Amino acid sequence: ALGRALVAMPAFARLKLYHWARALLWTLVPVYGMVRDVDERLAWSMCSNVVLLEHRTDLAGGAARCRALSATFRGECVRVLVTVPCFAMVPIAFLLALVVRPWMLWVAVAAIVWLVLPGSAAANTYLYLWMRAQEERAPAGSFPSAGATQ
């Protein structure tokens, strides 16, 4: 598994960089660019799943699949990857403001680090697996780019 992951790393980095650059360029466009930026960042979040779990290592096919996943399940992606982590930060900020103890800063830092690194990675993977289950349950042709792997 580790060998397959290392072999896929250049394709993964290329795909991540592609969506990151597109998101960065869309941020330069006022108002409309914010919507497109979110779309590109949602596609960016699907890159690891598409490369490692679907074995799509070509840039065109991988980028199209990432965009298809994030566009088809946009509402769920925004809820799981943006809204819930923001709401999870509220109690952390609330406790940090109310509890004036030296240890509370480190508890808040630990909670934020967990939320940003393993927590978001797990949420991303569970979301992807849920998406795949929805695609498999739906009639053939309901979702774009579903099922075709390389």
Side-chain angles (χ1 to χ4, degrees):
L2 183 60
R4 276 195 353 215
L6 290 175
V7 168
M9 192 59 72
F12 169 70
R14 196 171 46 244
L15 196 56
K16 282 280 197 184
L17 183 62
Y18 171 76
H19 284 296
W20 178 79
R22 285 179 54 105
L24 183 66
L25 291 174
W26 274 113
T27 59
L28 301 175
V29 178
V31 183
Y32 180 69
M34 290 188 316
V35 174
R36 293 299 308 264
D37 172 55
V38 169
D39 293 339
E40 288 299 327
R41 292 188 190 278
L42 292 176
W44 177 87
S45 70
M46 290 294 118
C47 291
S48 57
N49 300 312
V50 167
V51 170
L52 293 174
L53 300 176
E54 293 186 13
H55 310 293
R56 292 183 187 238
T57 56
D58 64 321
L59 183 62
R65 178 66 174 148
C66 290
R67 280 194 302 272
L69 278 172
S70 62
T72 304
F73 299 100
R74 188 176 196 282
E76 291 83 359
C77 287
V78 169
R79 260 192 309 278
V80 170
L81 301 175
V82 179
T83 308
V84 172
C86 289
F87 282 141
M89 293 297 288
V90 171
I92 295 170
F94 186 72
L95 286 174
L96 190 57
L98 287 182
V99 179
V100 185
R101 301 270 186 233
W103 56 266
M104 188 56 209
L105 173 66
W106 298 111
V107 169
V109 167
I112 291 168
V113 167
W114 181 86
L115 189 64
V116 169
L117 296 176
S120 64
N124 185 354
T125 302
Y126 289 137
L127 174 65
Y128 171 79
L129 295 173
W130 177 84
M131 290 175 177
R132 290 299 302 219
Q134 296 303 310
E135 287 179 338
E136 289 172 5
R137 280 191 213 125
S142 297
F143 295 107
S145 302
T149 59
Q150 293 181 350

